[in-house]
């Protein structure tokens, strides 16, 4: 009876550890991934708004572009607070650098459009598109990184569950014998 009680206590503790591990995956990683998706949405929105402003000159498109930049910065600030690993922070730094390069170029184009009323002269639209694509690729790479970390943590929990089950089965067999 004492051995079965100890096995049940061990099983209870390990089950709680696995549950906590899965909660951590869901609470932390899923939240980070959703924030990066929000940044991706803002980046796409900014590209569309920039194109609209450049083609039509509508001040509302520029204003919405500026608002979207603020939204994206809020997402990045939230991510920076939530990230705890050096690799996560490093990846966010690369993502921000890429987005910042695109923003600087976009702001230059917006300024030229507002001042001169025509197509930009300092920076071609092709160069701007290249920076936009680079930022989008960096978002995709960062999402892959976060997804792989989530998979690693889930796999570690699965291994713990399998080891616990095997140990309990073996111990139960030994007790019965």
């Amino acid at each position: 009876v004492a051995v079965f009680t100890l096995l049940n206590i061990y099983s209870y503790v390990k089950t709680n550890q696995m549950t906590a591990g899965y909660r951590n995956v869901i609470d932390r990683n899923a939240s980070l991934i959703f924030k990066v998706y929000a940044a991706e949405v803002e980046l796409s929105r900014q590209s569309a708004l920039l194109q609209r402003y450049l083609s039509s000159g509508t001040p509302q498109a520029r204003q919405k572009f500026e608002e979207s930049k603020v939204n994206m910065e809020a997402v990045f600030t939230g991510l920076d607070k939530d990230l705890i690993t050096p690799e996560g922070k490093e990846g966010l730094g690369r993502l921000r650098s890429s987005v910042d390069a695109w923003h600087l170029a976009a702001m230059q184009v917006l300024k030229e459009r507002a001042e001169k009323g025509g197509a930009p002269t300092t920076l071609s639209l092709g160069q701007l598109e290249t920076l936009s694509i680079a930022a989008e690729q960096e978002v995709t790479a960062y999402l892959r990184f976060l997804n792989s970390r989530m998979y690693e943590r889930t796999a570690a929990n699965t291994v713990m569950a399998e080891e616990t089950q095997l140990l309990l089965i073996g111990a139960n067999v030994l007790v019965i014998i």
Side-chain angles (χ1 to χ4, degrees):
V1 172
V3 173
F4 279 119
T5 303
L6 288 174
L7 288 173
N8 283 331
I9 291 171
Y10 176 78
S11 176
Y12 175 77
V13 168
K14 284 297 189 176
T15 301
N16 283 341
Q17 287 176 347
M18 287 182 285
T19 302
Y22 283 118
R23 276 196 189 117
N24 184 37
V25 166
I26 291 167
D27 293 345
R28 290 203 38 73
N29 288 57
S31 170
L32 296 173
I33 289 169
F34 286 133
K35 287 179 182 177
V36 175
Y37 278 130
E40 186 177 38
V41 167
E42 291 299 332
L43 186 61
S44 295
R45 183 172 179 245
Q46 289 169 19
S47 292
L49 289 167
L50 181 64
Q51 289 175 5
R52 193 165 100 196
Y53 178 72
L54 291 175
S55 65
S56 67
T58 15
Q60 295 88 352
R62 183 177 178 149
Q63 180 183 356
K64 287 180 181 181
F65 176 87
E66 297 288 342
E67 290 169 2
S68 181
K69 277 181 54 190
V70 171
N71 293 343
M72 182 178 272
E73 186 55 38
V75 169
F76 284 155
T77 300
L79 273 168
D80 194 40
K81 288 179 186 174
D82 292 345
L83 290 166
I84 54 175
T85 65
E87 300 90 357
K89 288 189 178 277
E90 182 182 319
L92 180 61
R94 285 191 304 272
L95 174 57
R96 283 184 102 152
S97 293
S98 184
V99 170
D100 286 347
W102 183 78
H103 279 156
L104 284 173
M107 293 307 293
Q108 182 178 350
V109 167
L110 287 173
K111 181 181 175 193
E112 285 184 28
R113 173 73 163 96
E115 289 175 355
K116 299 175 185 171
T121 56
T122 311
L123 196 70
S124 75
L125 294 179
Q127 291 170 308
L128 189 62
E129 182 180 2
T130 300
L131 290 170
S132 175
I133 290 169
E136 289 170 7
Q137 289 172 341
E138 200 61 50
V139 168
T140 301
Y142 196 60
L143 283 169
R144 271 195 219 113
F145 164 75
L146 290 175
N147 281 316
S148 72
R149 294 303 286 260
M150 187 166 67
Y151 175 78
E152 288 169 10
R153 290 184 176 116
T154 302
N157 271 353
T158 302
V159 167
M160 186 190 325
E162 290 169 354
E163 289 172 352
T164 301
Q165 289 170 346
L166 288 174
L167 182 69
L168 288 173
I169 290 169
N172 282 324
V173 168
L174 286 175
V175 167
I176 291 172
I177 293 176

